[in-house]
């Protein structure tokens, strides 16, 4: 992101002049006060909100004007947003179906991802029967299935209780590491950021500020 400014449909510009570079495979946590624009930055990267100044580049390609579905970006939302009428496996395979993967290759890839998030035995389970932690791991697997170039996670643990959040933060980091994916995680919790990310960046009114040591959070 270079000089990134993002606008809402009503014309408000809550994010101005954000500069941030990630190395391939790096996990960065974006933290800041409520209303600082953390989630809006993610939506700008994904193309879900209008970028009115600056640019977004992925792998050296300027994607600022590229449609969302062609950016190679995956996203995990706060509530997972699973499809209630689909099983766990069919949720994970949704993006592959949309991309035209044949059934055999979909089945193989879905099995790989469910094994990666530790839910292989739940492939045929209705998603309504899942716990909160299981549902978020399914959402993570679904986002990883198409092998995105960048994965964006918007407060992925905020709806869970404290004990589960702590355990799942470790699990998500392990999954992201195993997948080798570049990721931006939005969170308001500094300790959670330290567990999940290689680097913590604070979003403030004047842009972004690197908080220093990899994996340590603010110094």
């Amino acid at each position: 992101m270079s000089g990134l400014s993002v606008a809402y449909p009503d014309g408000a510009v809550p994010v101005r002049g954000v500069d941030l570079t990630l190395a391939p495979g790096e996990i960065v946590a974006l933290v800041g006060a409520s209303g600082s624009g953390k989630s809006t930055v993610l939506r700008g990267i994904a193309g879900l909100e209008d970028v009115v100044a600056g640019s977004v580049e992925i792998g050296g390609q300027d994607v600022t004007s590229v449609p969302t579905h062609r950016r190679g970006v995956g996203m995990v939302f706060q509530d997972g947003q699973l499809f209630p009428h689909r099983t766990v496996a069919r949720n994970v395979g949704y993006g592959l179906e949309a991309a035209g993967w044949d059934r055999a290759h979909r089945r193989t890839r879905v099995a790989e991802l469910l094994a990666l998030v530790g839910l292989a035995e739940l492939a045929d389970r209705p998603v309504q029967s899942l716990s909160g932690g299981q549902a978020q791991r399914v959402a993570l697997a679904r986002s990883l299935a198409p092998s995105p170039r960048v994965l964006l996670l918007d407060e992925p643990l905020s709806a869970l209780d404290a004990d589960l959040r702590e355990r799942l933060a470790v699990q998500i980091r392990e999954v992201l590491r195993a997948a080798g994916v570049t990721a931006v995680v939005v969170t308001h919790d500094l300790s959670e950021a330290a567990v999940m990310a290689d680097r913590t960046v604070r979003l403030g009114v004047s842009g972004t500020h690197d908080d220093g040591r990899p994996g340590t959070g603010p110094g």
Side-chain angles (χ1 to χ4, degrees):
M1 288 169 279
S2 178
L4 186 72
S5 297
V6 183
Y8 290 151
D10 64 4
V13 184
V15 171
R16 297 178 184 270
V18 173
D19 298 304
L20 180 63
T21 300
L22 281 74
E26 185 179 20
I27 305 169
V28 166
L30 194 60
V31 302
S34 178
S36 61
K38 304 183 297 298
S39 296
T40 304
V41 169
L42 292 196
R43 294 178 67 82
I45 297 171
L48 299 174
E49 301 286 1
D50 289 335
V51 172
V52 293
S55 62
V56 178
E57 293 186 8
I58 300 177
Q61 175 191 5
D62 188 335
V63 299
T64 312
S65 300
V66 174
T68 298
H69 66 282
R70 293 183 178 175
R71 293 194 182 197
V73 172
M75 197 156 184
V76 179
F77 297 93
Q78 293 181 24
D79 59 1
Q81 296 192 6
L82 299 180
F83 302 113
H85 60 287
R86 286 174 170 252
T87 63
V88 166
R90 291 201 64 221
N91 263 276
V92 175
Y94 173 78
L96 306 179
E97 290 182 38
W101 285 43
D102 65 69
R103 183 173 298 179
H105 286 95
R106 286 203 312 267
R107 185 181 299 115
T108 299
R109 180 62 174 158
V110 168
E112 290 173 356
L113 267 299
L114 287 177
L116 183 65
V117 298
L119 297 176
E121 73 282 1
L122 301 184
D124 298 322
R125 181 81 63 85
V127 293
Q128 297 96 323
S129 68
L130 300 177
S131 68
Q134 289 170 335
Q136 281 301 77
R137 283 187 283 162
V138 172
L140 178 60
R142 182 180 63 186
S143 295
L144 288 172
S147 300
R149 296 191 290 176
V150 177
L151 185 65
L152 310 173
L153 301 95
D154 187 6
E155 298 271 13
L157 307 179
S158 62
L160 307 176
D161 64 65
D163 289 342
L164 181 55
R165 284 170 57 178
E166 184 174 344
R167 295 197 304 272
L168 198 54
V170 174
Q171 292 172 0
I172 287 178
R173 177 182 173 85
E174 291 172 347
V175 169
L176 296 178
R177 274 276 163 268
V181 67
T182 305
V184 182
V185 183
V186 159
T187 178
H188 64 276
D189 188 320
L190 291 172
S191 60
E192 190 174 283
V195 170
M196 298 178 71
D198 303 312
R199 179 162 53 108
T200 298
V201 173
R202 188 184 302 275
L203 186 65
V205 293
S206 59
T208 54
H209 310 276
D210 195 333
D211 282 325
R213 303 183 301 273
T216 62

